Amino acid sequence: MSQPESAVADAQAGGRSGQEPLAKLAARYGLRRAIARPRFPVYVRQLWERRHFILTYASSRNVSKYTSSALGQLWQVLTPLLNAAIYYVMFGLILGGKGGIHNYPAFLLTGMFVFTYTQRTVTAGAKSISGNLSMIRALHFPRASLPLAYTIQELQQLAISMGVLLVIVLITGEPITLAWLVVPVVLLLQTMFNVGAGLVMARLGASMRDLNQLLPFITRTWLYASGVFFSIQDRVVGKAEAPQWVADVMYYANPAASYIEAMRDLLITREGGHNPPDAVWISCVFWAVFALCFGFWYFWRAEERYGRG
């Protein structure tokens, strides 16, 4: 009788008589669970080996998203343009949000596009596991591949939105400066944060069925607290006369606000432009590193439980 057959026979006997726990039997014969959480370095290596699958899956989702529409992929350009027009009319003209803010169109659209990238990534991450249970149960692969693919999908959308934004920034009179070379750095830091946040939300979404119902309210509150439509310093400290520490908390404890302010600092550079606190850049780095490290660890800890039950 071969070793696996002996292990099965012993396991059946142990299960009937209770003489030896199955875990000890597995250890004695050198067996391990079919779905087990690998060590973290091994897990990262497995993700890297599947990088082509992750990229292809993200790209295919973007392509299929518009295949049923008449204009097809053109919507990837039209959507940010239409959003830009709506946001400017609503918040700039009707609600009078542009008062006292230099180059409000660029100010508003920078905030909106940067925030939307994080918002959509977090929302998609929460559904990445619960929405792909059939794939998870049928195939063996690192489950973090799914929230990573969703983040790349949103990054591909952002690339088009940023192209639209840069054109609008130029049309509104801002010059091209060397500061634009730092734009990819901010996007890299924000992407690191988004990956971590997406992984955290993926694990939460896999076990909390009501999370997707709560997310629209959470992200809408997050939107209004991130200074997308107004200057935090001017509104909170200037007009509301709140203590400075309140504005500081809104700047530094809110990663979305930090990335928005950093991007505005790079794109709105004319005299009288937007000048965020210097510590915003420190906040951008902190949130990127913290979210990425914690998100991967937190998601990996539950690797073997995804798709069960």
Side-chain angles (χ1 to χ4, degrees), residues 61-267:
R61 284 183 56 85
N62 262 331
V63 172
S64 62
K65 185 176 181 179
Y66 301 103
T67 52
S68 60
S69 60
L71 297 179
Q73 300 304 308
L74 187 59
W75 279 109
Q76 295 196 51
V77 177
L78 290 177
T79 299
L81 282 175
L82 292 174
N83 285 335
I86 293 172
Y87 295 141
Y88 180 73
V89 171
M90 287 297 301
F91 296 98
L93 300 180
I94 297 178
L95 299 180
K98 67 177 184 177
I101 296 179
H102 167 74
N103 196 351
Y104 187 73
F107 178 94
L108 171 64
L109 298 181
T110 300
M112 201 64 231
F113 287 166
V114 171
F115 180 82
T116 300
Y117 175 37
T118 294
Q119 179 190 39
R120 289 172 61 92
T121 302
V122 168
T123 303
K127 302 175 182 178
S128 60
I129 298 298
S130 59
N132 291 281
L133 291 179
S134 58
M135 181 190 299
I136 290 173
R137 290 167 178 168
L139 302 174
H140 179 66
F141 61 94
R143 308 317 188 195
S145 301
L146 293 174
L148 283 174
Y150 279 64
T151 302
I152 293 175
Q153 178 190 358
E154 297 303 331
L155 179 61
Q156 292 172 343
Q157 291 276 0
L158 177 70
I160 298 174
S161 298
M162 287 301 297
V164 173
L165 174 61
L166 293 179
V167 170
I168 293 175
V169 167
L170 290 174
I171 292 176
T172 56
E174 298 293 338
I176 298 177
T177 67
L178 291 177
W180 284 31
L181 297 176
V182 189
V183 168
V185 177
V186 177
L187 294 180
L188 173 61
L189 293 174
Q190 186 183 9
T191 300
M192 291 170 61
F193 169 79
N194 287 357
V195 168
L199 288 167
V200 171
M201 297 305 296
R203 176 174 172 177
L204 294 176
S207 57
M208 298 172 57
R209 297 185 178 181
D210 292 333
L211 182 62
N212 289 327
Q213 307 301 322
L214 291 173
L215 264 180
F217 302 99
I218 296 173
T219 54
R220 193 174 302 122
T221 303
W222 194 8
L223 170 71
Y224 294 133
S226 298
V228 173
F229 312 116
F230 58 90
S231 169
I232 293 176
Q233 185 68 28
D234 292 343
R235 284 295 177 94
V236 175
V237 178
K239 294 185 178 180
E241 298 182 352
Q244 180 61 43
W245 66 265
V246 177
D248 292 340
V249 168
M250 294 180 69
Y251 276 127
Y252 309 133
N254 182 354
S258 296
Y259 295 118
I260 289 171
E261 296 300 320
M263 190 65 72
R264 284 170 175 165
D265 188 33
L266 298 176
L267 299 180

Side-chain angles (χ1 to χ4, degrees), residues 199-200 203-204 293-302 306:
L199 288 167
V200 171
R203 176 174 172 177
L204 294 176
C293 295
F294 176 77
F296 263 112
W297 174 84
Y298 183 72
F299 185 90
W300 164 76
R301 291 285 297 175
Y306 301 128

